[in-house]
Amino acid sequence: MPRRRTTSSSSSTGSTGSSPAPRNRTPQPVRVRRRSFGDFVKAFLAFVVLLVLVVGVPLALAMTAGWPLPNGAPGLDWLQREITVQTFLSILTVVVWFAWAQFTACVLVEVKAALSGVGVPGRVPGSGPSQLLARQLVAALLLVGATAASLTPGLSQLGQSMEGNQKPSVAAAQQTPGLFAQQQEQAASTANALAEQAGQAAARADSGSAAHGDTKYYRIQPPEGRHHDSLWEIADRHLGDGRRYKEIFELNKDRVQPDGSKLSEASLIRPGWIMEMPGDARGGELVELPDEAPNVSEQVQQQISDYAQTGDQAQGSGGAGAGSGGGAQGGGDAQVSLPEQRPVPAPAPVTPANPAPAPSTGQEHAATPAEAGHSFGLPEALLAAPLLAAGLLGALGRRRRQALWQSALGNVGGRRGMEPPTPTGDAQDAQDALLVGADPEGVRLLDRSLRGLAAALAAESRPLPVVYAAWMSSNGDLHLQLAQPAGKPPTPWQLGQDQTFWMLARADAEGYEDADTAAPYPGLVSLGTMDDSRLLLNLEAVPGLVSLSGTEADRAAVFASVAAELATNGWSDRMTITLVGFGDDLTPLAPNRIRHLDGFEDLFETMSAETRQRRGALGAAGHDSVLTGRTGPAQHTRWAPHLVLLAAQPSDEDALRLAELAADASRLGIGYLVGTEGTELPGAAWEMEITGEGRLLAPLLGLELEAQLLPAAQQRAVVELFSDADPGRGPGGPANTPPFLVDISEQGRPAVYARLVGSYEIIGLDAPDGDRSAQLHEALALLLLHREGVHPRVLASALWPRGVTEDVRDALLERLRVWLGTDPDGTPRLGTDATGRLTLAKSVVSDLDVLRSLYYEATQGRGVDSRQVRGRLLTDALVLVRGPLLADRPEGRYRWLTHEIIDAQLPLLVADTGLALSEFHLERNRAEKAIEALNAALRTAPADERLWHELLRATHATEDTGRLRTLAADLIGRSGARGLPPRTEALLDELLPTWRDGVAAAG
């Protein structure tokens, strides 16, 4: 039997440097690989070339052309000298001196990096091929030294660009043992490829063993700091190429390890495991067989001996048989990285308001595409993305509210008023899909859970752990996957399936209150679903680049989804998202977050500067990473993440430059997602692929997800929604016309009248059955607030936020039709338009419809030409205001109002009505009537600064200084510690110059 050796946990290092890999804790006898005669020849030639270039060139120049530096300051007469051949020779000499200086700097940088073991050397500006030549010569010279095994990738790899120096970045991708699990379906689909790899690995192993006459083993060591061992890094150190990790995997797949578990995934290795190595493995500390190495403990000797026997048996059983048997036995470990504390998934409801992370529901197989115009066809991509939809919906609501205030206060865009444009076509379908698919409660719980965790850790003076991913199960449980064990989590968090999982049950998450702390993991973004769990990858924690391959259209759909969710998510405070090569029209989603760059050179210049700035800022603040700066008293806005999405594949040289930037990016809060066209990306830490069927694959990570996408059609529709809501769109904006105008004459008396402004009352209908009354009232309120029509799925999602089956939804609609009845001509009062959306007949009216119509007629209709009519209409409108919208709505219902902007529209409408009526009275010097109208409007819109300003002017018109002084004091008291707004102060200075004296006396 061949003699066996065990490879320890780290490569040899120089006396002055330290390897980034974990070091062996137990000193062992070391056998250093012998250098060949060719190694010495190459090293000698490299030494000669370096000597000539570094020493010979300057000596030759000094002897022939002289010293390049002048002896004194040049005079102005040299500008008038004749240009001769000697002038050109002098210029050429200076250029050669500069070239020599640059090459010498490259040599010094490479020597320093090699001796210190820092991994990727610093770049000398403008060096290019000079630095690559210096790197090759230094590597060849050091190859014969004692430290050469860990300092160079070997002469066989010299000349392959700069890829060898990016191995530390690639290896860093494997720093988490068991990051993701591979599903059994993936194993079946890749069985043929693995079998072929196994054959190749076996051939290499047999040839290697024959050549060296022994078998080598490697024992996985515990992590040091944030560094975890990985098969890629082991292959990189001991086989010269990280891509040969598959050979190690095939030699050890499904063999029983000392702890009783088995290696089933290339990314899932644990400390204490033993790896049989290919026969040509070299480097590191080689330990003789346990019986020949007394320094090895008896326990380790026995483990290696037992493991060696399993290897002999596996090899003797035949390749195919062993492979199949091992696969069956290892099936139990296939989901080791998925959260285990989750229930058996229940059948999904047909019409979910907040769909489970699974990307489809029971009815969606029958839905036609939105472009086909089918009544129930909504964009599936938005329906299946609850967190993305919630973020977009929330951002859209904020944008529309901002537009309302700006248009009301500044007549922005050539319009003023309360009516945002009504979307149509694809934009309307996209809005409905957002309303159906959004899960704002899930976003709220995720945000509170993460901030609560950060606050609890800060209270215990504990740092934030590095989180690579989060899994959200369909029942609302949250699982964080850590880069390394971080001890016991704070209550109510619990340990998950192992030390690298922290779990929070939904019931515990609901107990969290809003925490005044920075968002700890703003870089989390949804990638897709696996089983009943949704994966959120923390892009800013990835130790290097993340590559995404696939067709251009498929990649663009993933990039757009990632960019849109990052720009609008509810679990971050602020961030910068840099887009290169795509998404020129995504800016309207978040103008303060998204920025576009033209190409790689602009990106490299920008990110190089930011990387230096962040590294210096961290050092100055005394933090080892941005996570340290996000907790406790050291919170700074500078620690906001910067995420770069590069859709177009960079060249190999550009990819290497980018990999150098990304080598330290995770510590600095910078993440990179880079698109490729199917080829390997140099320096990629994690590699993913998007298929034409919408599957997101990452075999090394064990990922096979139903990808979250935002295709081009839905992207355009979403951007259209935001663009239409932009308050600065220009004078071509829509007029302030309500979506539904009521006949306000005596002949226009409605058949059904609902009071929504104040207490909810319905006139003209019998009270429905008591058990269903609340539900029918809520459905009618939703339809009354959307006279343009409501999609049936939107109505169902509003009434049943957790989802409902189709038969229950249809039963409700039928009851609603029966309750509303028909008009005298037999027309149902609840109908359906051409797109399949539910609409109300004109005979069903709300007081909000009447209020809008009265204001419109007074300011843009009959009241424009008749002052008397205008005054009567405005007075009638203000009388309708009885309080806030749906003032007595029952708790737990009408949650869909959080998606609406009626809470901003109604106060503005009331304020505009009060201002118009005040102006009407002041024209006739009826100051008391104006004050009465303004006070009525202030009861509904107390925060409207315009109403207070007009009230000050009306009070001043009474010429009662004491009354004006009392009003000013009331305003000052309402302003609190913030003080009065500048415009209010200026108005008081004009109307009551002595108001500041009263403030000083009161103070």
Side-chain angles (χ1 to χ4, degrees), residues 284-307:
E285 299 173 353
L286 304 180
V287 181
E288 300 293 340
L289 260 180
D291 57 354
E292 300 178 24
N295 291 332
V296 178
S297 67
E298 295 183 1
Q299 180 182 6
V300 175
Q301 293 179 24
Q302 186 62 41
Q303 289 175 356
I304 297 176
S305 178
D306 294 343
Y307 192 77

Side-chain angles (χ1 to χ4, degrees), residues 841-857:
K842 292 184 177 181
S843 60
V844 182
V845 173
S846 73
D847 55 354
L848 185 58
D849 296 327
V850 177
L851 177 60
R852 287 168 168 163
S853 300
L854 288 170
Y855 177 76
Y856 177 78
E857 282 293 329

Side-chain angles (χ1 to χ4, degrees), residues 258-418:
D259 61 1
S261 56
K262 298 177 182 179
L263 174 67
S264 59
E265 298 299 330
S267 61
L268 310 181
I269 60 175
R270 300 177 181 174
W273 281 10
I274 298 169
M275 296 287 112
E276 181 177 342
M277 301 291 290
D280 60 339
R282 66 182 187 276
E285 299 173 353
L286 304 180
V287 181
E288 300 293 340
L289 260 180
D291 57 354
E292 300 178 24
N295 291 332
V296 178
S297 67
E298 295 183 1
Q299 180 182 6
V300 175
Q301 293 179 24
Q302 186 62 41
Q303 289 175 356
I304 297 176
S305 178
D306 294 343
Y307 192 77
Q309 294 177 7
T310 64
D312 294 339
Q313 293 173 0
Q315 294 169 3
S317 62
S324 60
Q329 296 172 2
D333 295 334
Q335 297 190 17
V336 65
S337 277
L338 276 176
E340 294 176 345
Q341 298 85 357
R342 63 188 195 280
V344 177
V350 173
T351 311
N354 304 315
S360 62
T361 61
Q363 76 170 20
E364 290 167 5
H365 68 280
T368 59
E371 293 79 1
H374 192 277
S375 62
F376 291 90
L378 295 179
E380 299 296 334
L382 296 175
L383 292 173
L387 303 184
L388 169 62
L392 289 172
L393 201 59
L396 182 60
R398 291 190 295 271
R399 183 68 54 80
R400 285 174 172 172
R401 288 182 176 87
Q402 179 186 12
L404 285 174
W405 279 104
Q406 292 191 19
S407 62
L409 297 176
N411 197 21
V412 174
R415 63 186 174 99
R416 61 175 276 136
M418 292 62 62

Side-chain angles (χ1 to χ4, degrees), residues 688-962:
M688 299 185 295
E689 175 188 1
I690 178 64
T691 68
E693 294 74 30
R695 305 291 293 177
L696 189 66
L697 309 177
L700 186 59
L701 301 177
L703 274 177
E704 184 174 354
L705 302 171
E706 191 71 25
Q708 178 172 298
L709 306 172
L710 187 59
Q714 281 76 63
Q715 177 183 335
R716 289 192 297 269
V718 168
V719 171
E720 181 180 344
L721 289 173
F722 279 81
S723 298
D724 288 344
D726 187 357
R729 293 185 309 127
N736 177 31
T737 303
F740 176 67
L741 288 174
V742 178
D743 183 0
I744 58 177
S745 67
E746 188 65 26
Q747 292 74 25
R749 184 177 299 273
V752 178
Y753 182 69
R755 293 179 175 176
L756 303 179
V757 184
S759 299
Y760 191 3
E761 302 176 18
I762 298 179
I763 302 173
L765 291 177
D766 296 332
D769 180 72
D771 294 337
R772 298 187 174 95
S773 176
Q775 199 171 58
L776 290 174
H777 277 73
E778 185 175 0
L780 179 57
L782 177 62
L783 292 168
L784 286 168
L785 292 177
H786 290 278
R787 302 306 301 234
E788 73 278 7
V790 177
H791 197 288
R793 297 183 69 176
V794 174
L795 179 65
S797 66
L799 299 180
W800 292 280
R802 292 185 175 273
V804 67
T805 56
E806 185 175 345
D807 57 338
V808 174
R809 180 196 65 202
D810 292 343
L812 169 76
L813 294 179
E814 183 59 29
R815 283 193 297 272
L816 187 58
R817 286 191 179 94
V818 172
W819 181 45
L820 292 175
T822 60
D823 287 332
D825 60 358
T827 303
R829 290 170 181 157
L830 178 62
T832 306
D833 66 7
T835 65
R837 288 174 170 81
L838 302 169
T839 58
L840 291 173
K842 292 184 177 181
S843 60
V844 182
V845 173
S846 73
D847 55 354
L848 185 58
D849 296 327
V850 177
L851 177 60
R852 287 168 168 163
S853 300
L854 288 170
Y855 177 76
Y856 177 78
E857 282 293 329
T859 57
Q860 300 183 50
R862 293 177 295 159
V864 174
D865 299 324
S866 173
R867 185 178 183 282
Q868 183 178 4
V869 171
R870 182 169 74 253
R872 178 174 55 83
L873 293 175
L874 291 173
T875 302
D876 292 344
L878 208 54
V879 170
L880 292 175
V881 181
R882 300 177 297 119
L885 187 77
L886 298 169
D888 57 352
R889 57 181 178 266
E891 185 178 358
R893 288 197 172 273
Y894 298 88
R895 293 182 177 178
W896 47 268
L897 282 173
T898 58
H899 302 316
E900 307 287 341
I901 61 170
I902 186 62
D903 60 336
Q905 287 176 291
L906 180 58
L908 282 175
L909 176 58
V910 173
D912 280 1
T913 304
L915 290 170
L917 186 56
S918 172
E919 180 183 3
F920 170 80
H921 288 304
L922 288 176
E923 288 176 355
R924 292 297 179 90
N925 297 321
R926 295 197 290 259
E928 293 296 339
K929 287 288 187 180
I931 292 173
E932 182 181 346
L934 292 169
N935 282 327
L938 279 169
R939 285 192 288 269
T940 300
D944 198 314
E945 187 180 359
R946 299 173 302 160
L947 290 175
W948 290 104
H949 289 175
E950 197 64 23
L951 184 59
L952 285 171
R953 294 188 180 96
T955 305
H956 180 265
T958 64
E959 298 181 355
D960 187 344
T961 305

Side-chain angles (χ1 to χ4, degrees), residues 475-754:
N475 66 342
D477 293 346
L478 176 62
H479 304 256
L480 297 183
Q481 195 151 15
L482 313 183
Q484 62 184 24
K488 183 180 179 180
T491 306
W493 290 78
Q494 306 172 19
L495 283 175
Q497 63 198 52
D498 58 38
Q499 295 291 325
T500 61
F501 271 99
W502 284 4
M503 190 272 289
L504 180 68
R506 181 188 179 96
D508 295 327
E510 290 174 344
Y512 268 122
E513 299 294 337
D514 292 333
D516 185 18
T517 186
Y521 304 112
L524 285 170
V525 64
S526 303
L527 291 185
T529 57
M530 178 186 291
D531 288 347
D532 63 336
S533 297
R534 178 169 298 276
L535 170 68
L536 291 90
L537 183 67
N538 191 5
L539 277 181
E540 68 167 339
V542 177
L545 303 177
V546 180
S547 69
L548 176 67
S549 61
T551 65
E552 183 176 359
D554 293 333
R555 295 199 317 266
V558 176
F559 273 100
S561 171
V562 170
E565 185 169 301
L566 289 173
T568 61
N569 72 57
W571 54 89
S572 65
D573 297 324
R574 57 189 299 273
M575 67 173 65
T576 301
I577 307 165
T578 297
L579 309 182
V580 182
F582 83 104
D584 292 340
D585 57 348
L586 287 176
T587 304
L589 302 186
N592 295 330
R593 286 192 176 188
I594 296 178
R595 68 177 180 182
H596 299 268
L597 296 179
D598 294 333
F600 180 81
E601 288 302 325
D602 291 340
L603 173 66
F604 184 77
E605 179 180 356
T606 300
M607 297 313 300
S608 296
E610 179 154 353
T611 299
R612 289 192 299 269
Q613 186 273 334
R614 289 191 173 222
R615 189 179 290 122
L618 279 177
H623 302 315
D624 59 348
S625 73
V626 295
L627 291 180
T628 312
R630 286 180 184 160
T631 55
Q635 299 178 19
H636 293 81
T637 56
R638 75 183 69 167
W639 311 134
H642 188 158
L643 304 174
V644 177
L645 308 182
L646 177 61
Q649 178 175 350
S651 64
D652 288 348
E653 181 180 356
D654 290 340
L656 291 174
R657 295 168 65 190
L658 199 60
E660 292 183 10
L661 281 178
D664 195 29
S666 60
R667 186 177 68 90
L668 306 176
I670 303 175
Y672 295 88
L673 178 61
V674 184
T676 67
E677 299 176 355
T679 58
E680 292 185 358
L681 182 70
W686 294 347
E687 297 178 346
M688 299 185 295
E689 175 188 1
I690 178 64
T691 68
E693 294 74 30
R695 305 291 293 177
L696 189 66
L697 309 177
L700 186 59
L701 301 177
L703 274 177
E704 184 174 354
L705 302 171
E706 191 71 25
Q708 178 172 298
L709 306 172
L710 187 59
Q714 281 76 63
Q715 177 183 335
R716 289 192 297 269
V718 168
V719 171
E720 181 180 344
L721 289 173
F722 279 81
S723 298
D724 288 344
D726 187 357
R729 293 185 309 127
N736 177 31
T737 303
F740 176 67
L741 288 174
V742 178
D743 183 0
I744 58 177
S745 67
E746 188 65 26
Q747 292 74 25
R749 184 177 299 273
V752 178
Y753 182 69

